[in-house]
Amino acid sequence: MEQPFAEVVLDRGGRHPAALAQLRQPHALAPPLDSETIQAWMASPSKRGRRISIENARTAPSPNDIRLWCDACGAEGEAAGMITLSLHAESMYTEWRHQVRDGLKQLQNRSVQFFRQTTLFRVYSSTLVPGLLQTEGYAAAVLRRAAEFRGLGYDDSAEAAQARVERSRVIHEPGHRFVLLLEEAVLHYRIGDADTMAGQLGSILTAGSLPSVSLGIIPMATHDRVLGPRETFHVYDDTLVSVELVSARVRVKQPSEISLYLKSFEQLRSMAVYGAEARALIQRALEALT
C-alpha cells in the first residue's frame, strides 16, 4: 500500500518505544558499558521490569530514562533529540477521552478563536462531510454517534451540533479562504435519515458557490489515481495539520511533515472535479436518496 507520509510510531501518550528498542539492537551497542550507574539501570532485576515496560509502550520514559538508555547503548548523541521528540509527541497526541471530558459542545467552542485566526483552511475528507459544511441535523447525527461510541455519561450532541454550526460561520466572514476536497463516496454515506442527507447535500451545493470556497470532489470513477484515499486531515495555514484517529487527534507541527501533507493534498486536488462537474456529482447523490 502506498504510504507518502512519514511513519511515526506513537502509542497512547505519544511515546516512541520502537526508537528506544532499536538502539538496543546488537549493531547499535557499544560495549563495554563503562558506567556502573548505566549498567545497573539496564541489568538490575529491579530496573529490568521498567525497561521492558518502556520498550513495550506500557510506561512513558522520563528524560532521565532516555539519557541512561542512550548512554547504555553508546548513542549519547541521540538523547537530546529523543527527549525533545518525546515531549513534542506528548503535546501532539491527545486522546479523545481527554478532549471530550467537558462535553462535545465545549470541544467545538475551544476552536472558535483558532478558526478566526486562521487565514487558509485546507480540508480533505474521505469519511464525512467536513465540519465547516455540516448542517445542524447532519452534525447532530455525527456527534450523537460519537457520544454513543465513546460511552459519554452526558450526551450533549444536540447542543454541540448548534455550536459546530455557529463555529462554521467563519466561512462567511471576510479574510478567510477554504479549499475543501471530498471523496465522492462521502456524498453517499447515509448519516441520519433521507431528509437530513438531502438538507446536507443541498447545503454543500450552496457553500460551493461562495467566493471564498473552492470545493472539489474526487469521483469514484477516477481511473489510474495518483494517490489512493487517505485519512481525513485538516491543514490550517501552513503551520498545523490535524489528523483524527479512532482513539485520538494528532496535531502535526513539524515543517517536514506538514510539507508531506501539503504534497498529498495537491495530488488529491489534481484528481478532483469542480464547478458544474462537482455539482453534477452532488445532484446525483441527491437523486439516489429517492
Side-chain angles (χ1 to χ4, degrees), residues 270-285:
S270 71
M271 298 183 291
V273 297
Y274 301 85
E277 290 181 89
R279 289 192 294 273
L281 292 177
I282 298 170
Q283 191 60 46
R284 186 184 305 168

Side-chain angles (χ1 to χ4, degrees), residues 12-53:
R12 298 190 309 276
R15 299 182 284 274
H16 45 99
L20 292 172
Q22 187 176 19
L23 292 179
R24 278 208 314 117
Q25 299 306 310
H27 69 273
L29 293 174
L33 299 176
D34 17 281
S35 166
E36 293 181 4
T37 302
I38 296 169
Q39 188 172 9
W41 186 88
M42 292 292 281
S44 87
S46 63
K47 298 295 184 182
R48 182 174 178 274
R50 179 169 178 80
R51 176 179 62 74
I52 293 173
S53 183

